[in-house]
Amino acid sequence: MSAVETPAIAAGAVAPARAGVPPLTVEHVAKSYDSDGRIVPVIGDLSLTLNEGEIVAIVGPSGCGKTTLLNTLCGLISADAGRIRWHGREISGQPSGVGYMLQKDLLLPWRTALRNVMLGLEIRGVSLSEAEERSHVVLDKLGLHGFDEHYPSTLSGGMRQRVALARTLVNEPDVLLLDEPFAALDFQTKLLIESDTAKLVRESGRSVLLITHDIEEAVSIADRVIVLSKRPTRVKAVYDIALDSDRTDMIAARESHGFTDYVRRIWADLDVARN
């Protein structure tokens, strides 16, 4: 599947939160594929919870089914077994109030940065003036002031990814599903966008489920890191991340006491999971 937040999901209205109920609860979910008549298990017996205002990062061996998991959680594909609850309710199809952003920006080349950000709002029937105003605000917050009328072909990779992030955030989802959105960026740009993302979601109290192959990214940005096993994937380990730093400053997080220890322990879990 190509990597971009799906308009149908990004455009959904925000689901009302229920006091004390996690935005997302996953119980014993399993998923297999039929490959030329052979059943291939991808997700084994997997359970997790995403709490309100929490950033959770998921890491695992390459090919373990991380993207399949996200596609299952947001209703793009159906689970074979188990239960997925959004705000305490089992939902058929795609849940509302969920923004899904993947690795490639897939911006529409014939639309300016501003018009790309406005796409989901247009689908929802938001007035043109309100859509433009909201989109300008998010672009400015992501450091793109003055680039609203630029076309994707004139923007750097980092700028394009900021536009894609703005397109997701402008719809004001209460939960973000991020599938390696910073993987293709150079290190400096990655740190800047990670910091901007962390600041925006923490200030707004949004919940985030982040898929990443970068252990340092996971530890620096997340409140909790979930390590998955190889296929059929299960939860192998869970780390509550406690760093003595500003959790919106990725450099400070990497310099925090205990950061290296978390990275080494998670790496050891992944190394075992590969074997």
Side-chain angles (χ1 to χ4, degrees):
M1 177 180 173
S2 59
V4 66
E5 81 278 15
T6 59
I9 296 174
V14 175
R18 296 169 59 188
V21 178
L24 174 63
T25 304
V26 181
E27 298 176 345
H28 306 293
V29 162
K31 179 65 182 178
S32 298
Y33 287 113
D34 186 335
S35 177
D36 297 326
R38 182 171 63 92
I39 301 301
V40 179
V42 179
I43 302 173
D45 183 339
L46 193 148
S47 299
L48 62 85
T49 299
L50 177 65
N51 296 309
E52 187 173 354
E54 182 182 37
I55 299 177
V56 173
I58 295 179
V59 299
S62 179
C64 74
K66 297 184 290 295
T67 296
T68 296
L69 174 62
L70 283 196
N71 289 341
T72 302
L73 297 182
C74 68
L76 292 178
I77 58 178
S78 58
D80 297 333
R83 306 174 79 172
I84 299 170
R85 292 191 179 95
W86 288 96
H87 299 288
R89 302 183 182 93
E90 290 189 62
I91 297 173
S92 176
Q94 298 173 1
S96 62
V98 177
Y100 190 4
M101 178 180 169
L102 308 182
Q103 183 175 344
K104 293 184 179 179
D105 58 74
L106 291 188
L107 300 178
L108 301 179
W110 58 89
R111 295 176 70 113
T112 63
L114 178 65
R115 297 293 169 177
N116 267 285
V117 175
M118 291 170 56
L119 179 61
L121 298 177
E122 292 177 12
I123 292 173
R124 289 169 55 185
V126 175
S127 69
L128 181 62
S129 60
E130 181 183 348
E132 287 184 347
E133 181 180 356
R134 287 169 58 176
S135 298
H136 275 300
V137 169
V138 179
L139 284 169
D140 288 351
K141 286 183 177 180
L142 287 171
L144 290 172
H145 179 74
F147 290 92
D148 49 297
E149 294 304 320
H150 286 235
Y151 287 90
S153 62
T154 68
L155 300 175
S156 68
M159 287 180 171
R160 290 172 61 104
Q161 203 65 359
R162 287 174 186 268
V163 174
L165 179 59
R167 183 177 55 188
T168 305
L169 292 174
V170 76
N171 294 284
E172 299 181 349
D174 59 341
V175 177
L176 291 173
L177 303 179
L178 306 179
D179 191 356
E180 302 198 43
F182 317 123
L185 303 176
D186 64 85
F187 185 68
Q188 180 182 7
T189 303
K190 175 188 288 193
L191 292 184
L192 291 172
I193 298 183
E194 286 173 356
S195 296
D196 287 343
T197 302
K199 182 177 181 180
L200 287 173
V201 300
R202 291 191 185 280
E203 286 179 348
S204 61
R206 290 185 173 94
S207 304
V208 178
L209 193 63
L210 167 70
I211 297 292
T212 179
H213 68 273
D214 186 335
I215 300 174
E216 291 193 353
E217 176 178 270
V219 174
S220 62
I221 201 170
D223 302 302
R224 195 153 44 95
V225 176
I226 297 175
V227 183
L228 300 184
S229 69
K230 63 182 180 181
R231 288 189 181 186
T233 194
R234 293 175 170 82
V235 174
K236 178 179 178 58
V238 179
Y239 292 86
D240 292 314
I241 307 299
L243 299 177
D244 55 351
S245 67
D246 178 359
R247 298 310 306 278
T248 66
D249 184 335
M250 297 302 104
I251 291 294
R254 283 165 166 78
E255 295 173 345
S256 296
H257 175 73
F259 176 83
T260 301
D261 183 54
Y262 283 122
V263 171
R264 286 176 175 171
R265 289 162 62 192
I266 293 171
W267 173 256
D269 282 328
L270 283 177
D271 192 45
V272 172
R274 290 186 180 95
N275 299 323

